[in-house]
Amino acid sequence: MRTLSLGYSPCPNDTFIFYALVHGKIDTPGVVYKEILEDVETLNQMAQQAKLDITKASFHAFGLLRDTYCLLRSGGALGRGCGPLVVAQDECSMRDLRGKTIAIPGELTTAFLLLQVFDPELKQKAKVMPFHQIIDAVKNREVDAGLIIHESRFTYQQEGLKQVIDLGAWWEQETGFPVPLGCIIARRDLGRELVQRTDALIRKSLEYAFSSREETKTYIKRHAQELDEGVIDQHIRLYVNDYSLDIKDEGVRAVDELFRRATEQGIIGKSSEPLFLSA
């Protein structure tokens, strides 16, 4: 029996996807997946040190890790209407925020990559903090604006904040593609057979969750930052979709375009490795 480390976040979309895989609800012959729950930025950093066999990562981090890790087709977060937002206490434009302090949820997040692709000057005074602290930091004027992700998308208006830009909507208008946010990656040295088997099992785990939603709720609530059931359901509906079952050709083109733009700006380096493990 082989044990593989499996990193994913405590966010509802991830605990929904992986519930069946780590709770023995589907058969995993010859393999045990050991769950490691950390926020995505911590997982990104662990992957930089190749500490995890399989892990959730931002596409930003994967762009830097392509020589060591390959992309899986299942389990990712891509979509439309689900990108990061920049919010502020007062009405302003993105140009107004040049030279201002913007709270970001991590240097390796795709949210920060999209912010840099939109306007490289906005990275100058970026301030890293845990994603769930950003709204309070903006409210308390500790920062001039915040780059928000996850549940914060659904709650910022209740806190009296204003949207400056929806970077996901900008990306969709700019490219016509869904926004690639997070992905599941596996160490290339696991070999094609094990990587492809894991990919198929993640898809089965998600199919189980779709057919047994009520069963997953206790596990999801145990780890969620936001316990309101309506917010949890919104979160899952937004970030878990057909692209989570399979990235599809359109999703692959979206990733290629994101990496092309990021490479042109010098944010990530080039890699000769293909996205997927082919041998």
Side-chain angles (χ1 to χ4, degrees):
M1 185 70 70
R2 183 165 184 181
T3 300
L4 298 178
S5 54
L6 171 63
Y8 56 92
S9 82
C11 291
N13 58 308
D14 284 348
T15 48
F16 179 79
I17 289 170
F18 290 105
Y19 166 78
L21 186 63
V22 300
H23 286 86
K25 302 297 181 179
I26 58 174
D27 290 333
T28 61
V31 184
V32 173
Y33 294 92
K34 180 185 175 187
E35 61 181 328
I36 297 172
L37 270 68
E38 297 285 356
D39 66 88
V40 175
E41 187 68 355
T42 300
L43 296 173
N44 287 338
Q45 292 163 4
M46 292 175 74
Q48 280 193 309
Q49 300 170 55
K51 286 185 173 180
L52 298 164
D53 295 313
I54 300 117
T55 186
K56 175 73 172 283
S58 69
F59 272 106
H60 186 175
F62 175 51
L64 300 166
L65 297 169
R66 284 172 287 170
D67 290 346
T68 308
Y69 284 88
C70 63
L71 182 63
L72 300 193
R73 300 193 68 89
S74 301
L78 298 86
R80 300 182 185 276
C82 62
L85 311 178
V86 176
V87 299
Q89 188 78 269
D90 306 309
E91 297 278 358
C92 64
S93 69
M94 291 297 282
R95 183 174 288 274
D96 294 332
L97 293 177
R98 288 180 173 178
K100 304 288 189 181
T101 302
I102 302 175
I104 64 169
E107 291 184 343
L108 293 176
T109 57
T110 307
F112 187 45
L113 177 58
L114 285 169
L115 184 72
Q116 293 176 82
V117 169
F118 177 82
D119 184 348
E121 291 190 32
L122 294 172
K123 70 179 180 182
Q124 301 301 328
K125 295 185 72 176
K127 181 178 181 179
V128 176
M129 61 178 61
F131 78 88
H132 57 276
Q133 295 178 11
I134 290 177
I135 284 182
D136 281 345
V138 177
K139 275 177 61 181
N140 298 330
R141 297 190 184 275
E142 297 167 26
V143 294
D144 299 296
L147 181 61
I148 61 170
I149 57 175
H150 301 323
E151 295 96 326
S152 303
R153 277 187 59 95
F154 312 118
T155 59
Y156 77 93
Q157 289 173 312
Q158 298 165 22
E159 305 295 338
L161 302 184
K162 298 174 176 62
Q163 178 182 302
V164 183
I165 192 172
D166 181 331
L167 285 170
W170 167 78
W171 169 264
E172 291 171 44
Q173 291 163 7
E174 181 85 0
T175 68
F177 292 128
V179 59
L181 297 171
C183 53
I184 308 301
I185 58 176
R187 287 175 58 120
R188 291 183 185 272
D189 59 12
L190 292 177
R192 183 173 60 176
E193 191 276 330
L194 189 52
V195 167
Q196 290 182 345
R197 191 180 355 150
T198 297
D199 206 348
L201 288 170
I202 292 171
R203 180 179 177 122
K204 280 186 179 178
S205 184
L206 178 52
E207 289 170 341
Y208 184 96
F210 278 140
S211 65
S212 310
R213 288 178 180 271
E214 285 298 317
E215 186 183 328
T216 66
K217 285 185 176 178
T218 300
Y219 180 61
I220 291 168
K221 286 181 179 179
R222 190 187 313 151
H223 297 289
Q225 285 283 344
E226 172 59 63
L227 291 176
D228 179 81
E229 196 158 309
V231 173
I232 289 174
D233 287 344
Q234 269 186 295
H235 186 116
I236 292 170
R237 282 198 303 271
L238 190 62
Y239 295 110
V240 183
N241 52 39
D242 285 347
Y243 293 110
S244 306
L245 285 168
D246 186 278
I247 190 171
K248 307 184 193 314
D249 289 343
E250 184 182 41
V252 172
R253 292 199 303 273
V255 175
D256 285 338
E257 178 63 14
L258 180 64
F259 287 173
R260 184 189 70 76
R261 291 177 181 234
T263 301
E264 279 184 358
Q265 291 193 20
I267 303 168
I268 65 173
K270 292 182 179 179
S271 174
S272 60
E273 294 285 359
L275 295 179
F276 303 100
L277 192 59
S278 56

